[in-house]
């Protein structure tokens, strides 16, 4: 089964590695779709984010053992990409309400499932960036 997740993954940390390994354990392969630089900027994480260019983020993501394939999307959400790929499972972080997420509804419409994984406490890219700048 194909598992799909998405995000900016700007500065990789242990929380990301744990999340991606847990996502991969739900299927036979893990597709990670990165927000393009333009898409990431629209998320409002700050005028200088992402810190790493999309090609650099993709190269680091592809180097992880848990990741089978890396792509990116330029829209605000990966809805169109999910519709095209039709993964068996989509995975999001625990702060998402899967019951109202359009991506989750799309996957459910063709018999797939949507799973929210808990965050690994103490790990945050935003907090890490603040610490580095401090």
């Amino acid at each position: 089964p194909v598992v799909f997740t998405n995000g900016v993954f700007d500065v990789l940390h242990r929380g990301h590695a744990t999340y991606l390994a847990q996502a991969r354990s739900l299927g036979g392969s893990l597709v990670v779709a990165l927000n393009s630089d333009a898409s990431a900027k629209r998320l409002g994480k700050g005028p200088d984010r992402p810190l790493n260019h999309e090609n650099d983020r993709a190269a680091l993501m592809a180097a992880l053992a848990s990741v089978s394939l890396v792509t990116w999307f330029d829209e605000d959400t990966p809805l169109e990409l999910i519709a095209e790929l039709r993964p068996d499972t989509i995975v999001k972080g625990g702060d998402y309400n899967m019951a109202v997420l359009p991506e989750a509804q799309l996957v459910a419409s063709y018999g797939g499932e949507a799973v929210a994984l808990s965050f690994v406490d103490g790990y945050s890219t935003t907090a890490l960036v603040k610490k580095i700048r401090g």
Side-chain angles (χ1 to χ4, degrees):
V2 175
V3 179
F4 175 96
T5 193
N6 67 281
V8 177
F9 297 103
D10 190 8
V11 179
L12 290 179
H13 53 68
R14 183 177 180 168
H16 290 136
T18 300
Y19 168 83
L20 293 166
Q22 289 174 345
R24 172 59 191 265
S25 74
L26 299 174
S29 60
L30 176 62
V31 175
V32 178
L34 300 174
N35 291 76
S36 69
D37 290 345
S39 174
K41 286 186 183 306
R42 290 192 302 270
L43 292 176
K45 292 182 181 257
D48 59 345
R49 299 278 303 276
L51 298 173
N52 288 300
H53 187 272
E54 61 197 32
N55 290 328
D56 296 328
R57 292 184 285 121
L60 288 172
M61 188 62 63
L64 298 176
S66 58
V67 176
S68 305
L69 182 114
V70 179
T71 187
W72 56 76
F73 60 98
D74 198 41
E75 299 78 20
D76 290 344
T77 72
L79 196 59
E80 290 177 35
L81 183 57
I82 292 168
E84 185 176 337
L85 293 175
R86 294 179 60 96
D88 300 284
T89 304
I90 63 165
V91 178
K92 298 294 284 182
D95 61 337
Y96 285 89
N97 180 351
M98 302 305 269
V100 299
L101 192 67
E103 296 92 328
Q105 294 170 5
L106 171 63
V107 173
S109 76
Y110 61 78
E113 71 173 323
V115 177
L117 295 177
S118 298
F119 283 116
V120 179
D121 289 334
Y123 296 96
S124 157
T125 300
T126 301
L128 185 58
V129 169
K130 286 180 184 177
K131 182 177 180 181
I132 291 169
R133 290 182 173 159

